[in-house]
Amino acid sequence: MKIAELRALEVIDSRARPTVRIVLRIENNQTFWGVAPAGASKGKREVKETRDGGKGFSALRVKNSCEEFNKKYAPLFKGVDAEEIQRLEGLLEKMLEEDVGGNFTIACSAALFKAAASCIGVPVWHLVQKTFADMFDELTPAKNSGRFPRPLMNFINGGVHAGIENDLQEHLVIFKRYNSISEALMDACMLHNHMKNKIKESFGREYTLLADEGGFVPPMKDVRERLDFILECASEIGIEEKIVLGLDCAASQFYDKKSDGYVLLGKKMSRSELVELYEDLASTYPLEYLEDGMAEDDLEGWRMLHGALSKKLSLVGDDLTTTDAEMIEKYGKTLINGVIIKPNQIGTTTRTLKAVKAAMGKGMVIVPSHRSGDSEDSFIADLAAGINADLVKFGAPARGERTCKYNRLIEIYEMEKEKR
Ligand code: PGA
Ligand code: ZN
């Protein structure tokens, strides 16, 4: 089935900011779409976005950029067979070379995968799996083994997602010991509900408001107090044995270039003091996951961290690796043993799969992730299922732009069980 039209539209993301939606129409008039997410704590090496520029809110607009894209690039897709996903991804690659923003290419990529899967007559996750196999002559981990991605969910927010300076960004729970994705997610919801009631009782209703990724921001400025609170809530609903904890420190946000050290919640720290803090947390709490523990440019810090904790924790790169196969090759197993996969950091699904391949080659923990500014697009869930990832990080089980992704995973792993 040929592509009849592709068009970029300016739409709204979950943070009330403009973003790009690509709508693709095939010859029989069916339409498919993809929306670009946007980060707040971005890695420096992420592909650039194209926005209109100017001052204030205007700088975030994409209206003019969409018009330009529709004139110059959209016509290239007209008449191409929608099934030819690799050829179409090749067009996106050329666009990136010509400095088209990753927000445009990634929205295109999601729309193209959805259209191609429908034309071929398979679910989107299946096409992701097949594309990986075609690209590398290698299969992703089998689903029929009973393996499924464990939800890695954000319950307490800090840092830039909660408007707090020099802070750890995300306090996470891994729903580890479960037999199905839906059971894990229902316990996650129970925890979220319980936490909300407890916060309301202890601190007042205003603290039950949710941060960007659906986590709570209770008035606690100490990481231990936050982790204790999560564990207390989990224990009160009887799930403490089934969960472990994680942190996304987003340490680039509290790295202090001047002193070549860190300032965490008002306290100055050297890199070795920060590593000591993590060691202490790892020996006190059931902590298994530490993302961006050091700033992206602090390689010395990463080396220290790896030396101290790589046997005990998943040390995961996000800003450090930006879904770039080359960076994953470079740092995999020497500085990190896990990696965040965010397709909009690198611009296309094909490039994302190259990053996944590099991580698999090194036996790393693979974690597809949303962005703090996101939308009702659930393509990342299909990507996670297509590579049968170890963990998925889509935020709290609250707010529609997060739940659509978890709900899509439930659909894939529960309804399509027999096809696996
Ligand atoms: P971002 O944060 O989407 O705001 O970059 C998410 C993360 O750091 O994992
Ligand atoms: Zn992160």
Side-chain angles (χ1 to χ4, degrees):
M1 192 78 65
K2 291 202 181 340
I3 294 173
E5 183 186 6
L6 183 138
R7 197 190 299 185
L9 301 172
E10 183 183 44
V11 296
I12 306 165
D13 81 5
S14 61
R15 264 199 290 244
R17 290 182 184 172
T19 189
V20 181
R21 178 166 174 137
I22 297 288
V23 181
L24 185 160
R25 187 167 59 82
I26 54 175
E27 274 177 326
N28 68 1
N29 270 337
Q30 259 187 294
T31 55
F32 302 89
W33 54 269
V35 181
S41 67
K42 292 183 195 164
K44 279 199 288 202
R45 284 173 285 263
E46 294 191 20
V47 291
K48 295 286 168 283
E49 293 180 329
T50 301
R51 294 191 184 261
D52 292 356
K55 284 206 175 103
F57 186 74
S58 305
L60 298 172
R61 295 286 306 266
V62 291
K63 187 168 182 277
N64 299 337
S65 311
C66 283
E67 272 170 25
E68 209 175 297
F69 176 89
N70 288 336
K71 266 196 218 120
K72 193 166 173 194
Y73 294 101
L76 300 177
F77 295 87
K78 199 173 168 178
V80 181
D81 273 326
E83 290 91 335
E84 287 194 58
I85 192 66
Q86 293 214 47
R87 179 175 160 205
L88 289 159
E89 286 271 298
L91 289 178
L92 301 180
E93 196 62 48
K94 286 213 186 75
M95 282 159 50
L96 284 166
E97 279 161 24
E98 288 181 23
D99 275 345
V100 174
N103 49 340
F104 280 82
T105 56
I106 204 61
C108 282
S109 192
L112 289 166
F113 264 80
K114 291 175 192 177
S118 172
C119 291
I120 297 165
V122 295
V124 178
W125 70 264
H126 195 284
L127 180 62
V128 171
Q129 189 182 52
K130 185 180 168 317
T131 306
F132 187 96
D134 290 347
M135 282 170 68
F136 306 114
D137 209 11
E138 186 181 315
L139 295 176
T140 52
K143 288 204 181 61
N144 56 10
S145 58
R147 186 186 143 110
F148 61 89
R150 263 53 183 178
L152 165 68
M153 304 173 94
N154 183 356
F155 280 82
I156 296 188
N157 272 163
V160 290
H161 296 167
I164 306 174
E165 253 184 42
N166 295 327
D167 187 15
L168 294 183
Q169 185 173 279
E170 298 167 31
H171 306 71
L172 303 151
V173 175
I174 303 178
F175 292 82
K176 191 175 174 186
R177 299 181 188 97
Y178 289 85
N179 294 323
S180 74
I181 187 93
S182 47
E183 264 179 57
L185 289 170
M186 288 308 132
D187 272 8
C189 293
M190 183 159 61
L191 182 60
H192 201 268
N193 278 270
H194 182 67
M195 203 174 267
K196 183 175 180 176
N197 290 336
K198 216 171 145 75
I199 289 174
K200 191 172 153 192
E201 276 165 27
S202 313
F203 307 107
R205 203 177 61 87
E206 62 272 30
Y207 286 104
T208 61
L209 300 178
L210 303 179
D212 286 353
E213 298 182 340
F216 296 108
V217 192
M220 301 170 179
K221 289 219 160 174
D222 181 70
V223 58
R224 289 182 184 82
E225 197 185 342
R226 291 166 177 169
L227 296 179
D228 286 337
F229 183 70
I230 293 176
L231 287 179
E232 194 181 309
C233 290
S235 138
E236 282 165 3
I237 59 166
I239 63 165
E240 74 274 27
E241 300 294 323
K242 293 159 110 178
I243 60 151
V244 292
L245 300 177
L247 289 170
D248 178 4
C249 310
S252 303
Q253 299 292 326
F254 57 90
Y255 175 68
D256 178 36
K257 212 171 172 186
K258 245 204 218 144
S259 63
D260 188 27
Y262 294 84
V263 181
L264 183 55
L265 290 167
K267 195 174 167 236
K268 278 192 165 208
M269 294 178 122
S270 66
R271 57 172 63 81
S272 60
E273 282 169 332
L274 185 60
V275 172
E276 276 166 30
L277 168 68
Y278 296 145
E279 282 186 286
D280 188 46
L281 294 174
S283 60
T284 320
Y285 294 93
L287 189 71
E288 291 195 2
Y289 177 99
L290 192 75
E291 178 181 331
D292 277 350
M294 307 310 274
E296 62 193 296
D297 292 329
D298 183 13
L299 297 184
E300 195 186 331
W302 275 103
R303 271 189 288 275
M304 261 184 205
L305 181 64
H306 190 265
L309 282 167
S310 64
K311 297 222 162 43
K312 210 163 176 184
L313 299 181
S314 295
L315 299 175
V316 177
D318 171 10
D319 293 350
L320 179 74
T321 36
T322 57
T323 317
D324 183 336
E326 250 177 64
M327 302 303 272
I328 294 169
E329 285 291 348
K330 193 165 162 192
Y331 297 138
K333 289 294 168 199
T334 55
L335 299 186
I336 48 174
N337 48 24
V339 71
I340 282 283
I341 297 291
K342 290 173 173 168
N344 82 321
Q345 285 182 325
I346 195 71
T348 69
T349 305
T350 310
R351 287 183 175 190
T352 303
L353 292 179
K354 285 183 184 159
V356 169
K357 163 79 175 143
M360 275 182 193
K362 294 200 175 253
M364 296 165 81
V365 173
I366 297 177
V367 194
S369 164
H370 67 161
R371 298 307 302 251
S372 51
D374 217 300
S375 77
E376 62 279 19
D377 192 344
S378 57
F379 179 70
I380 189 75
D382 281 83
L383 185 113
I387 59 168
N388 207 3
D390 300 286
L391 301 169
V392 283
K393 186 170 181 252
F394 302 158
R399 299 185 54 135
E401 75 280 4
R402 319 290 151 191
T403 56
C404 69
K405 296 165 179 61
Y406 291 121
N407 287 340
R408 173 68 184 142
L409 269 191
I410 294 181
E411 187 182 333
I412 294 171
Y413 281 87
E414 300 297 323
M415 225 173 94
E416 296 175 357
K417 239 177 212 162
E418 64 279 7
K419 291 190 197 144
R420 282 180 244 129

